[in-house]
Amino acid sequence: MNDVTRRTPDMLVLDDKQGTASASRVRAPLIDAFQRRISYLRLSVTDRCDLRCTYCMPERMTFLPKREVLTLEELYELSSGFIDRGVTKIRITGGEPLVRRDIMDLFTALGRRLGHDLEELTLTTNATQLAGHADALAKAGVRRVNISLDTLDRARFAELTRRDALPQVLEGIAAAKAAGLKVKLNAVALLGVNEHELTDLIAWAHGEGHDVTLIEVMPLGDVEQERLDQYLRLDTVRTRLEERWSLTDNEHSSGGPARYVDIAETGGRLGFITPHSNNFCATCNRLRVTATGQLYPCLGGSERVDLRAALRSDAPQEQLEEALNKTMLIKPERHHFRMDKRGADPALARHMSMTGG
Ligand code: SAM
Ligand code: SF4
């Protein structure tokens, strides 16, 4: 174990000297077998959540025993290992990251690396608890947050997430804006659920100054519902939006898989994430790590490398390096999601709440 793993959570707050010192440690960059340079880590800090979105997990979800989950110190050490290999952007995700106790300590510690060897620290959240954390996130150096919101209708929200939490979520979004965080809303387009509300959702978000990204549902994990009954193609949504608004393609990239358009009438930007109808793998620059330290080089693949074993070994830094090198050899060229067979088993057994978004 090295110094970082021995730190207690409150000691995770590094002083400036330590942040700068680590800047000089950059090792060989992460480049996979298809010459894609990896610069972006999505780090899940918990598989737990206070909502139960019907497309994400079943009501009676089984969560991991806490002892299996990486400690905050391990999450920090692991992040450092990625930063040392040229990762410049880290998105904290889950499950719901803000349900993890003391998670702000991790934001504060990683925030100290901003301006040194880390360019961006962000968060994906359902915003139920964002009102209480928005100021602290901004103080830690977070500038942008992705917030998942599929509907503005309270009854539909309660049905869709199985929790009556829309007022808290709206409060969280308002708090983020007030704290100066740039908000992007993510909405999963769901057949027969929110499909006829998407224009209102986009118009509201753009009126508030927030970008929006629409996402196609992916067949990850058993959710006790037929996936095909949830799946709405985004080219259908785009066609419908074009009946009402003027959409112009925009070259903007957020470093993620979304393609963007500007909407003349709302003055806002809209992204489309279309894993099925438009494959986005060729420019993939991401790796995902679960809360138990399992590294998945592809959201749609079962390839996996155990970083927890590396972290808990006698030589964590060397083992971590070796594990990352191995990952570069097995990151697949593309995913093979299919959404064309009724009654099919999930493409992958793991839920999106394991790897985050
Ligand atoms: N709890 C946080 C949230 O909801 O923003 C972070 C984790 S959540 C798994 C990340 C994103 O994944 C959310 O935007 C959610 O809508 C999306 N998501 C979950 N399950 C999905 C699925 N099966 N297909 C597509 N998107 C999914
Ligand atoms: Fe929770 Fe996010 Fe999954 Fe919804 S999408 S159940 S908020 S992890």
Side-chain angles (χ1 to χ4, degrees), residues 48-53 55-57 94-96 126 148 161 353:
R48 289 165 196 258
C49 190
D50 51 352
L51 301 182
R52 294 287 183 281
C53 302
Y55 53 80
C56 180
M57 57 174 79
E96 174 46 41
N126 63 26
S148 304
T161 66
S353 53

Side-chain angles (χ1 to χ4, degrees), residues 55-56 93-96 124-126 148 188 216-218 227 352 357:
Y55 53 80
C56 180
T93 179
E96 174 46 41
T124 302
T125 175
N126 63 26
S148 304
V188 179
E216 286 176 345
V217 78
M218 291 176 263
R227 283 287 186 196
M352 186 86 172

Side-chain angles (χ1 to χ4, degrees), residues 19-324:
T20 322
S22 55
S24 59
R25 290 209 314 259
V26 176
R27 300 198 176 92
L30 296 169
I31 298 175
D32 77 0
F34 302 95
Q35 299 309 310
R36 292 171 297 194
R37 166 115 191 223
I38 307 302
S39 56
Y40 185 179
L41 170 65
R42 294 202 174 181
L43 180 60
S44 172
V45 294
T46 178
D47 65 325
R48 289 165 196 258
C49 190
D50 51 352
L51 301 182
R52 294 287 183 281
C53 302
T54 49
Y55 53 80
C56 180
M57 57 174 79
E59 170 67 74
R60 289 153 69 89
M61 180 73 173
T62 309
F63 294 113
L64 293 163
K66 289 206 171 127
R67 64 177 181 281
E68 299 215 358
V69 171
L70 296 185
T71 64
L72 291 179
E73 295 73 25
E74 287 172 326
L75 288 166
Y76 180 81
E77 187 183 9
L78 187 142
S79 303
S80 292
F82 279 92
I83 294 170
D84 291 347
R85 298 293 300 270
V87 162
T88 53
K89 176 171 173 177
I90 299 181
R91 174 175 296 283
I92 303 295
T93 179
E96 174 46 41
L98 297 182
V99 303
R100 176 144 185 191
R101 200 154 55 90
D102 297 331
I103 193 61
M104 291 313 301
D105 292 346
L106 182 66
F107 278 103
T108 305
L110 286 174
R112 299 274 173 135
R113 310 284 292 257
L114 291 166
H116 300 291
D117 45 10
L118 185 62
E119 283 170 18
E120 191 174 35
L121 178 63
T122 56
L123 162 74
T124 302
T125 175
N126 63 26
T128 56
Q129 309 202 20
L130 189 54
H133 292 294
D135 284 335
L137 286 165
K139 199 161 161 242
V142 173
R143 295 287 167 261
R144 302 194 297 148
V145 289
N146 281 6
I147 298 176
S148 304
L149 180 66
D150 305 316
T151 177
L152 285 172
D153 180 284
R154 185 166 177 174
R156 195 172 295 133
F157 184 98
E159 205 175 319
L160 186 53
T161 66
R162 303 189 181 103
R163 302 292 185 268
D164 180 22
L166 184 62
Q168 292 98 288
V169 169
L170 294 179
E171 208 188 314
I173 295 172
K177 183 176 171 179
L181 300 172
K182 177 77 185 142
V183 172
K184 179 161 75 71
L185 296 181
N186 285 339
V188 179
L190 295 159
L191 191 67
V193 177
N194 62 356
E195 60 177 306
H196 296 296
E197 199 204 325
L198 291 173
T199 42
D200 290 346
L201 182 66
I202 295 163
W204 173 79
H206 286 178
E208 291 287 312
H210 309 320
D211 289 345
V212 181
T213 293
L214 302 178
I215 307 172
E216 286 176 345
V217 78
M218 291 176 263
L220 293 178
D222 185 3
V223 290
E224 297 168 354
Q225 287 190 10
E226 168 60 50
R227 283 287 186 196
L228 268 185
D229 290 341
Q230 302 178 325
Y231 176 44
L232 176 62
R233 288 178 65 106
L234 285 185
D235 44 11
T236 307
V237 175
R238 181 170 175 152
T239 305
R240 286 185 195 156
L241 293 176
E242 281 172 331
E243 284 165 13
R244 179 166 162 188
W245 289 327
S246 318
L247 273 50
T248 315
D249 287 323
N250 178 315
E251 290 309 307
H252 169 81
S253 166
S254 59
R259 305 255 167 92
Y260 291 90
V261 297
D262 292 319
I263 303 182
E265 291 79 357
T266 62
R269 192 155 56 197
L270 176 67
F272 296 92
I273 298 185
T274 55
H276 312 285
S277 44
N278 187 349
N279 202 269
F280 51 51
C281 303
T283 55
C284 183
N285 59 354
R286 286 168 292 282
L287 295 175
R288 295 163 201 269
V289 177
T290 70
T292 60
Q294 304 308 305
L295 192 168
Y296 286 96
C298 176
L299 176 64
S302 51
E303 299 80 3
R304 172 168 74 100
V305 176
D306 185 1
L307 300 187
R308 186 177 60 186
L311 280 173
R312 294 183 180 174
S313 72
D314 290 339
Q317 281 198 356
E318 291 77 2
Q319 295 286 318
L320 198 56
E321 286 251 342
E322 209 168 292
L324 293 181

